[in-house]
Structure formats: structure tokens, C-alpha cells
Amino acid sequence: MQKIFDNTQSLAPKLLFVGALLLTSTFTVFAPRVGAEEFRSIFNGKDLSGWKGDMTRWSVKDGAITGTTTNERALPYNQFLIWDGTVDDFVFKAEFRLVGENNSGVQYRSQAIVGSGDFRIKGYQADIHAKPEYTGMLYDEGGRGIVAQRGQRVVVNDKGEKNVIATLGPVVQEDLTKWSTLEIRAVGNRLVHSINGKVTVDITDDDSKNREFKGLLALQIHRGKPMVIQFRNLKLLKVLSKK
């Protein structure tokens, strides 16, 4: 009897190890299948053709989409420059830089908010923020708020409860006044953001009431303190549906 007990004990660490491997495998950052056209540019580097927004606040400077707010022209609410298209399963890449103690972001799979002001939308946002602990997080604009803070792997259940199942390493202090890279991968209910090649959040969204599978792509200028946000080399890749 003692011998059987000893064998069971020796198997326990192995079983835990196997379980950990399975969990890690389940949440490995995916490499989605892609369409034949690969990445395509959604900004021509010269003007805002194919985008709509308040063009007194958005322009092209030095080959970059540039959004500006000032004390003299404060925003009453967050506004967006909206791409003329929709996204569902995709990979998005861009370079960005932010000047000012404020924030911006890239909206995706988002919806227009009708009757509440011009160029307002709600939905998933890859946040860009003067505070490093927020840059790259998942924020649900006009909805659930912060879904995953930077450095978190989160599963949201059907009740909307957010469960942090792992951490992704320490928060890095970037100088966002210099060009940084943002990548968003969205396939089904799996959402992964990366800043400068490092994963910042990894979310599985099982909240059937609030999650989105298709919608608008847009860039944000935020109400509050004066700011300048710039984006360049915006590229989009269509991911093939899983069938």
C-alpha cells in the first residue's frame, strides 16, 4: 500500500507539468492563416483619402496621420478618424508617437454611436497612453471600460467576469514621443495586442452580450489635456475565416 502511495506522489508533479503545458499551448500567441493579398496599406502617406473625421483636427504632417487638440479648441468628447471599411478577423500594424499627457488608441470592430455627436464610436480599443501601464491594454470604449490591463492574459466569461489567468512580464517604460510599433491580432474571440514586438494583452472574450466580431477601424483623439498623436505605415492583413 505504501508503494502505491509513493508512485501516486511521484506522478503528481508530472501531471501538473503536463497540465501547465496544455494551458500554455492553449494560449500561445497564434499565427493566423492569411489571405493571398497579404498586408496592404490603408494610408497613402499624403492625404486622408479613405478616412473621415473632423478635418480641422486631423491632417497629414511629415507623412503621418496627425491628430491635434489644444486648450483653445478643447474636445467635448472623444473623437475618431474613421477608416472607410470594416474589419472582422485581421492583423493590423502601425507606427505611432504621442506628445502630451493624454491618450489615444486604435478602435477596431467598433460601432458608430448615432445621435451623440460627430465621429463618435464604441467598441474594442488598443490603448495608447501617457501612462505606460495602460499603453497596449484593451479598453472597451463606450462599454465595459478596461477589459485587460497591460501585462495580463484574460478570459472574460459569458457573465462578463474578467479573469486574469497569467501575467506577461514587467511593464516597460517606453518613450512614446519616439516612434513605437503597435500590432493588433483579432481572430474570432481571441484578441492580442503588441507594442514594439512584445505582447501587452492576450484576451479570450466569451462575453456573448458585449463582444464584437465585425465593425469599424478608427484612430482616437481624446478629450482633456492638449495632445498630438501621429500614425504612419498603417497596414492591414485579412485573416481567412476558420471553416
Side-chain angles (χ1 to χ4, degrees):
M1 189 70 180
Q2 182 62 41
K3 186 175 181 179
I4 295 174
F5 181 81
D6 289 344
N7 287 341
T8 304
Q9 287 292 88
S10 66
L11 284 173
K14 295 179 182 179
L15 291 172
L16 288 173
F17 177 71
V18 170
L21 283 177
L22 289 172
L23 181 62
T24 302
S25 174
T26 302
F27 288 96
T28 299
V29 176
F30 53 85
R33 296 184 300 142
V34 301
E37 61 180 334
E38 300 295 320
F39 280 99
R40 66 186 181 99
S41 175
I42 57 172
F43 167 54
N44 64 21
K46 297 180 288 188
D47 59 43
L48 294 176
S49 300
W51 296 80
K52 59 184 178 181
D54 182 347
M55 298 309 179
T56 67
R57 298 183 184 274
W58 292 97
S59 62
V60 177
K61 295 181 180 178
D62 302 320
I65 295 176
T66 304
T68 305
T69 65
T70 63
N71 282 325
E72 293 72 27
R73 292 197 67 217
L75 280 173
Y77 49 79
N78 302 339
Q79 281 193 13
F80 298 87
L81 182 71
I82 305 169
W83 180 58
D84 185 18
T86 58
V87 293
D88 42 32
D89 287 356
F90 69 95
V91 180
F92 170 86
K93 292 183 178 182
E95 295 176 88
F96 70 91
R97 62 182 177 185
L98 173 69
V99 178
E101 296 181 6
N102 205 323
N103 72 93
S104 177
V106 175
Q107 293 284 140
Y108 60 96
R109 293 182 176 176
S110 295
Q111 314 302 319
I113 304 176
V114 180
S116 61
D118 293 332
F119 310 114
R120 296 192 71 183
I121 62 177
K122 61 181 180 178
Y124 292 134
Q125 180 186 124
D127 202 282
I128 296 169
H129 205 289
K131 296 180 179 179
E133 63 267 30
Y134 295 141
T135 295
M137 74 176 180
L138 177 61
Y139 187 81
D140 189 348
E141 176 83 9
R144 294 171 288 177
I146 296 175
V147 177
Q149 290 192 19
R150 182 168 181 168
Q152 293 181 339
R153 182 170 284 154
V154 170
V155 173
V156 186
N157 65 25
D158 195 43
K159 296 179 180 179
E161 297 168 338
K162 306 161 190 174
N163 302 295
V164 179
I165 64 169
T167 57
L168 302 171
V171 173
V172 177
Q173 177 75 57
E174 291 103 353
D175 181 358
L176 297 186
T177 63
K178 297 180 180 179
W179 289 107
S180 296
T181 61
L182 168 67
E183 180 180 285
I184 303 168
R185 292 174 177 246
V187 177
N189 65 341
R190 183 83 178 279
L191 314 167
V192 179
H193 302 170
S194 300
I195 300 291
N196 294 327
K198 295 186 177 181
V199 175
T200 54
V201 289
D202 185 340
I203 302 99
T204 300
D205 193 354
D206 290 326
D207 183 353
S208 58
K209 180 181 178 181
N210 294 295
R211 65 186 179 184
E212 299 285 351
F213 289 107
K214 184 176 182 178
L216 300 170
L217 177 75
L219 312 175
Q220 184 191 60
I221 45 176
H222 205 283
R223 67 187 297 274
K225 295 181 179 180
M227 61 172 286
V228 177
I229 181 68
Q230 291 189 297
F231 296 91
R232 68 183 185 187
N233 297 326
L234 291 82
K235 297 179 181 180
L236 190 64
L237 177 149
K238 168 71 176 176
V239 175
L240 295 174
S241 299
K242 295 180 179 179
K243 292 184 179 180

